[in-house]
């Protein structure tokens, strides 16, 4: 059974940091491009970052550039999203998604991904 499980969310003060994890079970994450997405109440889903299976391609959404870092640990079958300098507007549910595709492909469009996790809540507030 293919499954993605996000963790690491929580409540953090503005300027703080969180590291989100996306752990895969039932498949080898190394063969998949992974995307991180978020959705705030009343807003559309937004692409935050993605990493290709080859690690050759990494994209960040405009809101994440310079503050967030995506990485993967294939030995742990896990992808991470390090989030620094968090702002209240970063609040939302964060999802990871996987797509079985090789080489340098990745995307910040949610419709390009077939497998999704259940999400983890991130709240940035003082």
């Amino acid at each position: 059974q293919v499954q993605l499980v996000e963790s690491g969310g929580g409540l953090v003060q503005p300027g703080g940091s969180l590291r989100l994890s996306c752990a895969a079970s039932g498949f080898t994450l190394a063969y998949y491009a992974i995307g991180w997405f978020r959705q705030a109440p009343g807003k559309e889903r937004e692409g935050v970052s993605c990493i290709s299976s080859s690690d050759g391609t990494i994209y960040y959404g405009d809101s994440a550039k310079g503050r967030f870092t995506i990485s993967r640990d294939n030995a742990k079958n896990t992808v991470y999203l390090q989030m620094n300098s968090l702002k209240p507007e970063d609040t939302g549910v964060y999802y990871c998604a996987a797509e079985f595709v090789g080489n340098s492909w990745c995307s910040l469009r949610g419709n390009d991904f077939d497998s999704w996790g259940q999400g983890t809540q991130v709240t940035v507030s003082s």
Side-chain angles (χ1 to χ4, degrees):
Q1 181 181 358
V2 172
Q3 189 174 15
L4 293 168
V5 178
E6 302 94 336
S7 62
L11 173 63
V12 63
Q13 292 186 342
S17 298
L18 285 174
R19 188 177 78 158
L20 305 184
S21 299
C22 172
S25 62
F27 65 100
T28 302
L29 205 58
Y31 300 131
Y32 287 72
I34 303 298
W36 280 100
F37 299 84
R38 70 186 183 190
Q39 188 160 23
K43 295 187 177 181
E44 293 187 354
R45 183 176 59 197
E46 174 187 5
V48 176
S49 183
C50 69
I51 184 168
S52 65
S53 60
S54 67
D55 291 354
T57 300
I58 290 176
Y59 294 141
Y60 295 99
D62 288 342
S63 61
K65 289 177 182 176
R67 301 187 299 127
F68 295 1
T69 303
I70 191 170
S71 63
R72 69 163 78 223
D73 185 338
N74 289 336
K76 295 183 178 180
N77 223 26
T78 300
V79 171
Y80 302 99
L81 184 69
Q82 177 68 43
M83 306 188 296
N84 299 327
S85 302
L86 284 162
K87 305 174 182 179
E89 51 263 44
D90 293 317
T91 295
V93 179
Y94 284 68
Y95 301 90
C96 66
E99 183 68 15
F100 181 66
V101 62
N103 298 319
S104 60
W105 182 91
C106 78
S107 171
L108 292 178
R109 299 196 323 158
N111 290 342
D112 289 338
F113 291 83
D114 286 334
S115 300
W116 290 79
Q118 83 292 345
T120 185
Q121 175 71 43
V122 171
T123 303
V124 184
S125 175
S126 55

